[in-house]
Amino acid sequence: LFPESFATEQQSLVLVKRLLAISMSCITYMRGLFPESSYGTRYLDDLCLKILREDKSCLGSLQIVKWIQGCFDALEKQYVNLGFYALSSNPTVTEMYQFKFKYKKKVPQMDISSNHREFVAGLCSKDVKQASRLLLRTLYLLMQDLGPLPNDITLSMKLLYYNDVTPKDYQPPGFKEDGSPGDLLFAGDPINLRVGSVSTDFHLMKVRVTTEKKRVRKTDSNLIQKSGPTEISHQGLDCEEEEEEINLLNLAFSQEEAVGPEKKRKVSEPEKLPLNGKK
């Protein structure tokens, strides 16, 4: 399921891609968005994973697979900073899933004893795999604790980028420029849940879930961040690493207030996906 080691940037990229695909598959399966035929089965220790596949009988699952492939393109180019998936019942958001990505450069360090330059000993594969397992287990457990979705649900996805490296005209396959950069509105008080993070010598991936507090039946208090305003801007979601410990929900500024009118974050999206015919 995962590479044997993560010593190279390519192996690390494979891990991040698989974690994203498995996480999205988990969300869509546990929330009952697509039929059983849209999933294959894999095992991670004793955890049964349902993985989205290209099911031609279900156009919705085909579309999500294309979204994930588009995100892969942005990951390969090291452009994407944040991907978020929102399950909405117009006009409000019911659940939101955030995937934050950072790219690291492995820096060589002088080995004084041998007078040779070599890489600093990196994170061991065992720790990376353990963090990956924990992230997926936590996500599965959290999905079981969320209340049922409304019937008229729509799934949308947006990607935010690192402006300093992303070409202005770049769009991943299947995506277009975001046409509705408005705020995300929750009907009730939202709660922000830390699912987990996985770090290699080359990548960092963090996962968070935001939903209305009343929809969480029970959860580990260690996952919970302080609740915040019911309205969240896209730019407010895109906080820098040094602000990670600040509750994302407290960053509900307008685009102009958050980063200045000339530095608006580049945002792209695919077509929204109505899911009235959930399984």
Side-chain angles (χ1 to χ4, degrees):
L1 196 61
F2 299 131
E4 285 301 312
S5 69
F6 313 98
T8 70
E9 188 171 2
Q10 183 58 35
Q11 289 171 326
S12 176
L13 177 62
V14 169
L15 171 69
V16 173
K17 284 181 174 181
R18 289 183 181 174
L19 282 174
L20 175 63
I22 295 170
S23 297
M24 279 301 300
S25 298
C26 164
I27 293 165
T28 60
Y29 183 80
M30 297 297 289
R31 305 311 283 137
L33 302 186
F34 306 121
E36 190 76 27
S37 61
S38 297
Y39 300 87
T41 301
R42 298 288 295 275
Y43 286 89
L44 180 63
D45 299 330
D46 60 339
L47 184 62
C48 178
L49 302 174
K50 295 293 185 177
I51 312 297
L52 269 171
R53 58 187 179 190
E54 293 182 295
D55 177 14
K56 294 183 179 180
S57 66
C58 179
L59 295 179
S61 65
L62 277 175
Q63 189 64 45
I64 298 298
V65 170
K66 290 180 180 178
W67 291 8
I68 294 172
Q69 291 170 344
C71 193
F72 284 176
D73 185 81
L75 279 169
E76 290 168 3
K77 293 178 170 63
Q78 298 192 354
Y79 291 164
V80 65
N81 168 226
L82 183 78
F84 70 89
Y85 304 79
L87 286 166
S88 306
S89 179
N90 285 333
T92 58
V93 177
T94 304
E95 297 170 8
M96 182 170 63
Y97 302 87
Q98 303 173 47
F99 296 86
K100 184 173 178 65
F101 305 100
K102 281 199 71 178
Y103 311 96
K104 300 185 280 184
K105 298 298 181 184
K106 199 171 184 180
V107 180
Q109 175 175 299
M110 181 69 74
D111 183 341
I112 298 175
S113 61
S114 63
N115 202 29
H116 290 298
R117 291 173 68 84
E118 63 178 25
F119 287 121
V120 178
L123 296 162
C124 73
S125 296
K126 181 180 178 182
D127 291 341
V128 174
K129 289 180 180 178
Q130 184 175 354
S132 301
R133 292 187 187 100
L134 180 60
L135 185 149
L136 294 175
R137 285 183 181 277
T138 303
L139 185 58
Y140 261 77
L141 289 172
L142 179 58
M143 294 297 96
Q144 295 174 22
D145 289 335
L146 294 178
L149 291 170
N151 291 325
D152 58 334
I153 205 74
T154 297
L155 179 59
S156 60
M157 175 183 178
K158 294 184 188 292
L159 297 180
L160 284 73
Y161 303 90
Y162 288 102
N163 277 5
D164 55 342
V165 295
T166 307
K168 290 184 178 180
D169 61 350
Y170 171 76
Q171 294 295 344
F175 283 72
K176 59 184 177 63
E177 185 175 352
D178 180 27
S180 56
D183 292 337
L184 305 169
L185 180 66
F186 286 82
D189 294 330
I191 187 171
N192 204 27
L193 304 168
R194 295 189 186 98
V195 177
S197 65
V198 176
S199 181
T200 72
D201 289 327
F202 303 94
H203 297 89
L204 172 67
M205 173 177 163
K206 292 190 174 185
V207 182
R208 287 186 172 92
V209 177
T210 307
T211 188
E212 295 173 41
K213 190 173 183 179
K214 65 181 181 181
R215 303 192 68 257
V216 183
R217 296 174 182 143
K218 60 178 180 178
T219 193
D220 187 339
S221 60
N222 292 328
L223 302 180
I224 300 174
Q225 290 180 287
K226 294 178 182 178
S227 58
T230 60
E231 204 169 280
I232 308 171
S233 74
H234 297 166
Q235 301 302 323
L237 289 167
D238 185 26
C239 60
E240 296 300 320
E241 190 62 28
E242 60 268 18
E243 299 173 321
E244 284 293 346
E245 295 308 315
I246 300 175
N247 177 14
L248 292 178
L249 301 183
N250 288 334
L251 301 177
F253 310 111
S254 69
Q255 273 194 346
E256 289 77 7
E257 291 172 330
V259 290
E262 73 284 354
K263 293 185 179 179
K264 293 180 184 178
R265 272 293 183 206
K266 176 181 173 64
V267 184
S268 60
E269 63 177 358
E271 294 296 330
K272 291 181 174 62
L273 183 62
L275 295 171
N276 294 333
K278 301 202 302 295
K279 71 173 183 180

